[in-house]
Amino acid sequence: MADNLIEKRVEEYLRQAPDASQEEIRQFRELVEKYFLGELDPNEFKARRLHMGTYGIRATQDIHMMRIKIPMGKLTPEQLEALADVAEKYSKGVGHITTRQAMQVYWVPTRESAYVMARCAAVGLTTREACGNSVRNVTASPFSGVDPAEAFDVTAHAAAVARFFLRNEVSQKLPRKFKIALESSPDRDLARTAIHDIGAVAEVREVNGKKQLGFRVYAGGGLGAAPMQAILLEPFTPVEEFLRTCEALVRIHDRLGNRKSKAQARLKFVVKKLGEDAFRKEVFSEREKIRPIAYPEMTIFETDEKPPKTEGIVPVVDPGGNFARWKVTNVISQKQTGFSCVAIRLRLGDITSEQMRGLAKVVRKFCGGYLRAAITQNLVLRWVRDEHLGALYRALEGLKLAEADAERLLDVTSCPGAETCQLGISASRGLARALEQKLREAKLYGEDIDAIRIKVSGCPNSCGQHHIADIGFFGGAAKVNGHLAPHFNLLLGGRTAEGVAEFGKPVLKLPARRIPEAVIQMLTLYRKERLSEKESFRTFNERVGLEFWKEKLQPFATLPDFEQSPEAYRDWGAETDFSLAGMGPGECAA
């Protein structure tokens, strides 16, 4: 009976979906049936389901994490409600915003994965090519179109790129995944363009007295176990040539990428093998073979978003609570006078179904439906009238979405880690929770340390972007006193700027349970030994060097005897002894 009901709902949602989505979801349902009948090789099914955004979950069989693409992070209230539905039905009522502006839901049975696809397709979202060796979700600054520092709004351009590559035969069977990011504001680089296969930064030039829109195009960046900074491919690519340039880069990756070794299959290794000049020559030669691609969106200069009409909102001057702090840390003025963006801090990127539904109502009421997801695992409301900030705070407070300190020290980024990922070695989310809790208890606040960013990954692959954090950690394991214990490797000094990716330098490996006190000691030493209050944490690190930290943090590299303190050998959040059971081959490159 339940299966029949799900089938009926799938068909109901498919009737509301685009034709292309209807066809591919029906085909996927047929694949699922063949798989369970034993008519389809499991490895072939794995590759096919990954192409449709459906991952395996650690220590499970035929239960999945599903990733839903949110191009540019742009969400409507209706889409948020659809995501709330699937999270409530399968994912223990929680959706997870990723570091690439997508949402992940968990614990979806194979036979019901088509329901998630259909529910999302009915509101214009897709899981297709969210995983696998294809062009992944196209990301962009969540402030594009409203940023006072931007060259021009890149939202429409990013949407054109996403639409162009979706289902495009040129990007269906690449050697490895391919990531594209667009940035509207060169001085801010919120899209982290230097760590992408293609990073495009908006620029406006004047040609014969007319404005010419274009991009500085970077190529061949990436994180993972072998992080590399993107090279400048071209200092100015006119917008009319941008799609053709992107296709040329994808074709070069397809033709020259390493198909024998997935560990060396990203575009960055093609750049490394050929050298920068030869790589550029290959790309430009390939571009000449491609016919011009006409997309009218490529000429758009300003956002097409209009100031919302809001009715029935009573201004609240002082809503109480933590409003003053929230206004400082979470509210960003738009370039449009009288309007602001508001960052909604999601701890570890998590948001409940109830919160999503409530937020959809808030977005409709306060900002005309304008909402973006950010690569910092937060959400951004746009077009909030300044006089409505107090009332908005009160509404968000009722949803438990009025946390201050967005994009600050306490706002720790983390990948899913060993909780669900087959590659996860240690519990990155558990450590992130512990770090926030212990930092709060230590009352470590202040402008001098607020800008320090902490990022955590459960393995070396950098889904938590630990390489580009001021303080980064990636998971590992080591034996201490004869017992296996979860550890994290500490990196210091990572950052990005336009065209720049400085990767954190390794310091030492620390037991997971000692890390919060080690970080507290680091911040305390920084405040005590800096030359002045104006010396930033980054400058301090560069001055004192890695040996300073190795010496100061060495006491935190030990654990008490196991018999004396067995809990010290457990992962954060775990009630049993640590082990590597449940790990398996990752599916990112399957």
Side-chain angles (χ1 to χ4, degrees), residues 39 137 184 196 271 298 345-346:
E39 298 174 1
N137 191 45
S184 61
H196 285 78
V271 177
M298 285 295 164
R345 184 185 164 208
L346 303 179

Side-chain angles (χ1 to χ4, degrees), residues 19-82:
D19 290 345
S21 293
Q22 291 185 37
E23 181 180 356
E24 66 198 13
I25 294 170
R26 289 195 171 103
Q27 289 175 351
F28 185 78
R29 290 162 76 189
E30 293 174 5
L31 286 176
V32 170
E33 289 307 309
K34 287 183 178 180
Y35 166 68
F36 280 108
L37 289 171
E39 298 174 1
L40 187 65
D41 179 77
N43 287 326
E44 182 182 349
F45 179 64
K46 179 195 292 186
R48 301 285 287 275
R49 66 169 166 77
L50 283 169
H51 203 65
M52 292 297 289
T54 308
Y55 270 104
I57 291 180
R58 185 187 189 102
T60 66
Q61 178 72 30
D62 297 329
I63 300 291
H64 303 286
M65 175 274 281
M66 296 191 68
R67 183 179 295 149
I68 300 115
K69 293 162 71 175
I70 308 172
M72 308 82 65
K74 190 175 181 180
L75 271 173
T76 67
E78 293 75 23
Q79 289 170 338
L80 195 60
E81 288 165 340

